[in-house]
Amino acid sequence: MNLRILLVLVVALGADSARADEALRREALALFGVIKAPAAAQTPEAQLGRALYWDERVSSDGKTSCGSCHFARDWGADRRRFSPDARGALTSRHSPTIFNSIGQPGLRWLSDRKTGADQAEGSLTGSLGFPSKDAALEKLRALDYQTAFRAAYPQEAEPFNLRNYGRAVEAYEATLVTPAPFDRFLAGDDGALSARQKAGLRAFTATGCAGCHSGALLGGTMTVKFGLVKDYWLETGSAKPDTGRFAATKKEEDKYVFRVPMLRNVAKTAPYFHDGSVESLDQAVRIMASVQLSKTLDQATTGSIVAFLEALTGEVPANYAPPGKQPDL
């Protein structure tokens, strides 16, 4: 083969590859979407939220903060199956990542808190252990937070209240966005994903995973029964089946229904599922295909999907630490 023919073949193969990448990108953009880090400047509201989020003194035991269940080294999640709260009890479900969480239509495994502000305020009498919200407010008063509240909400006559506590924590959490190689690919960088990751993206959509794990966060926007085609605990090895939303609503249609978790940073947030019953991502992928889609994935397909999911890993935000400190990785 002479050099000219070889060059023609190389150019043709490159063009074919570029067309395939562009077609994949268009399909992915229609199903998913790009996330972008917020502006670097922090508002007084977000600065207050950062202080509150990390302040262990704002708890009944003086040792627990919002960050006690969401570690930087675990990409905003908790590698433990369950997290201890300020009362010394374990949470009933595994702590999901806080990164990229704000903006979902519902939070926690049951989607029972609709905003980050609701979640933060509710945690005062939950994981942070206060006997009442009034007790939490008195603790904040004793810690001299009034000036910071006034700086964050200067337009309000009486800004020192728990509604603004929740708003401030939510404003801080909204800064914890982690763009990843997948976003660079969607924005036009063909080299942002490896060939195996592109194959994994194709397998992810072809298998049907995007039916629930769609949108810019690849999930987090709906509630679905865990175990559509078979009982999930038979494959997860869960010690005790969790009835999901049914426990609160007592409606039969809510039995085993949970919020579909977003998949951003999923390669860094093991263990998996609401009870932390599965340690490895490849096992979690196979289980989901089986109990939700009635499909058995071979090793090659599973491996390529896992490779794609690894392309959803972003950087730990530089401000994911107490004020004046760096993330503890």
Side-chain angles (χ1 to χ4, degrees):
M1 181 180 299
N2 63 40
L3 182 58
R4 177 173 294 180
I5 295 174
L6 181 59
L7 288 174
V8 169
L9 288 174
V10 168
V11 170
L13 289 172
D16 287 345
S17 177
R19 283 193 292 270
D21 285 347
E22 185 57 33
L24 180 62
R25 181 180 296 108
R26 285 197 302 269
E27 180 184 10
L29 280 169
L31 291 170
F32 311 113
V34 176
I35 63 171
K36 297 180 180 179
Q42 299 296 312
T43 65
E45 182 182 41
Q47 290 172 341
L48 170 60
R50 181 179 182 182
L52 294 169
Y53 183 94
W54 291 104
D55 195 341
E56 295 179 344
R57 300 172 301 168
V58 187
S59 63
S60 62
D61 66 351
K63 301 176 182 178
T64 306
S65 72
C66 301
S68 296
C69 299
H70 304 279
F71 296 93
R73 64 177 180 268
D74 298 331
W75 265 251
D78 190 344
R79 68 186 64 186
R80 299 169 296 187
R81 290 186 65 187
F82 306 106
S83 308
D85 65 17
R87 299 183 181 93
L90 292 177
T91 54
S92 60
R93 298 184 178 94
H94 179 247
S95 296
T97 179
I98 194 67
F99 295 172
N100 309 297
S101 64
I102 301 304
Q104 297 177 99
L107 301 176
R108 307 205 306 175
W109 281 102
L110 302 188
S111 194
D112 55 343
R113 291 184 181 163
K114 298 307 177 185
T115 68
D118 292 340
Q119 165 61 13
E121 191 174 343
S123 291
L124 289 168
T125 52
S127 296
L128 297 179
F130 287 106
S132 68
K133 290 187 177 181
D134 286 342
L137 189 63
E138 285 307 306
K139 184 65 173 182
L140 289 168
R141 190 186 308 277
L143 295 172
D144 292 327
Y145 265 104
Q146 296 95 316
T147 300
F149 273 76
R150 285 194 293 271
Y153 303 102
Q155 73 282 7
E156 297 185 17
E158 299 292 339
F160 183 67
N161 55 64
L162 293 185
R163 174 176 175 270
N164 285 341
Y165 168 89
R167 291 173 64 194
V169 172
E170 180 181 55
Y172 169 59
E173 292 172 344
T175 71
L176 306 176
V177 180
T178 61
F182 182 53
D183 299 291
R184 297 199 298 274
F185 173 75
L186 292 179
D189 181 359
D190 291 341
L193 301 186
S194 68
R196 192 180 190 208
Q197 288 170 332
K198 292 171 186 175
L201 172 55
R202 292 185 177 94
F204 184 86
T205 56
T207 300
C209 308
C212 294
H213 294 284
S214 57
L217 301 180
L218 288 87
T221 60
M222 64 178 74
T223 56
V224 174
K225 180 181 179 181
F226 186 20
L228 284 175
V229 295
K230 62 179 72 172
D231 294 336
Y232 74 80
W233 55 88
L234 298 179
E235 297 209 24
T236 62
S238 299
K240 180 182 178 181
D242 185 329
T243 57
R245 288 175 61 87
F246 175 82
T249 68
K250 305 305 179 184
K251 295 179 180 179
E252 191 66 24
E253 63 266 29
D254 284 339
K255 190 168 283 188
Y256 312 121
V257 169
F258 298 89
R259 179 180 60 86
V260 175
M262 58 181 173
L263 298 182
R264 292 281 178 173
N265 299 303
V266 68
K268 296 289 189 179
T269 57
Y272 300 107
F273 305 131
H274 62 276
D275 56 1
S277 55
V278 173
E279 290 289 340
S280 70
L281 185 53
D282 61 342
Q283 183 183 3
V285 169
R286 289 195 296 269
I287 288 171
M288 289 300 293
S290 175
V291 305
Q292 300 301 106
L293 301 168
S294 193
K295 294 183 178 180
T296 301
L297 300 183
D298 59 31
Q299 185 173 352
T301 302
T302 302
S304 68
I305 291 176
V306 168
F308 162 63
L309 296 177
E310 289 170 347
L312 302 176
T313 302
E315 298 292 331
V316 173
N319 67 331
Y320 193 63
K325 296 185 178 181
Q326 296 295 313
D328 182 10
L329 299 174

